[in-house]
Amino acid sequence: DIIYAVQNIVVAADTVHDYTLPLFQVSGKVTDSKGVTEPGAEIVADGDTKADPNFAGTSQVRNTAYADANGNYSMALLEKDNYSVLTKPPAGRLDLAETVTSLVVTSNMTYDIVMDDAYLLSGYIRDTAGQPIDNLKLVIYNQQTGDENVTIPASDVSGYYEVGLPAGTYRIRLVTQGNPPSYPNFPA
């Protein structure tokens, strides 16, 4: 999504108001730490743009691209001081962690991404009697930075979950989302 807003446009008669967006192409290759390309990796660039003296307004950019069969991606972004770029591993690659980097965009550019290695965190969610609790989503925060590191889908019918994380210390929240757990009388 590219969102661009300009304020104080006065319309008192037929009016033409053209827009010139400071868009640049950002492209590159996604690899793991060994240099192997990662087809299917998802790249999400997110952030607010810097102030532009040529217009009175604000703009926010969120754009998503996927690495092709050769690990290449391309996306259009507004000029910005600092984007947060989240790269998610291809499906099934639990040995790779979601990787967050920063990016400054001032022109068309190549931006290669090397994904972090991960360790598998897995387990079961159960009650005190050992009964599984399904449909709980895990929201995982890095305790050193406070940043949300990753959100993983709900636990399965056996209560099992798994996620790849880089080495670190985390705070994990279990939350309901969408379908409630099938556990009898689960608190809402």
Side-chain angles (χ1 to χ4, degrees):
D1 300 325
I2 296 179
I3 301 168
Y4 183 81
V6 178
Q7 304 176 66
N8 303 320
I9 303 298
V10 176
V11 178
D14 291 345
T15 303
V16 174
H17 184 84
D18 296 329
Y19 294 92
T20 301
L21 298 177
L23 285 171
F24 296 106
Q25 289 295 315
V26 176
S27 58
K29 186 175 289 270
V30 180
T31 62
D32 67 11
S33 64
K34 298 169 191 73
V36 176
T37 58
E38 292 301 328
E42 179 181 2
I43 303 94
V44 180
D46 198 9
D48 293 325
T49 61
K50 67 181 182 178
D52 184 335
N54 297 319
F55 63 87
T58 60
S59 40
Q60 179 183 7
V61 174
R62 180 180 187 108
N63 201 354
T64 302
Y66 293 89
D68 66 15
N70 298 312
N72 297 313
Y73 76 93
S74 182
M75 64 174 58
L77 295 174
L78 287 169
E79 181 178 18
K80 183 182 175 327
D81 282 337
N82 193 16
Y83 280 95
S84 174
V85 180
L86 169 66
T87 305
K88 298 179 182 182
R93 288 297 309 268
L94 295 175
D95 60 322
L96 295 175
E98 289 190 356
T99 303
V100 179
T101 56
S102 295
L103 173 65
V104 176
V105 177
T106 57
S107 64
N108 293 332
M109 62 186 295
T110 299
Y111 184 70
D112 293 332
I113 300 169
V114 177
M115 298 199 66
D116 293 332
D117 293 329
Y119 298 96
L120 182 66
L121 171 66
S122 62
Y124 291 88
I125 303 169
R126 297 183 175 123
D127 69 9
T128 56
Q131 295 301 309
I133 301 175
D134 64 348
N135 288 332
L136 288 181
K137 180 172 130 181
L138 282 76
V139 182
I140 303 171
Y141 297 88
N142 181 314
Q143 279 189 210
Q144 291 177 319
T145 65
D147 294 336
E148 183 177 328
N149 187 273
V150 66
T151 299
I152 66 167
S155 53
D156 67 14
V157 295
S158 69
Y160 183 75
Y161 70 91
E162 63 183 10
V163 61
L165 294 171
T169 303
Y170 299 94
R171 177 173 54 95
I172 300 175
R173 289 179 39 218
L174 302 176
V175 298
T176 58
Q177 181 179 6
N179 295 330
S182 57
Y183 187 87
N185 301 313
F186 191 83

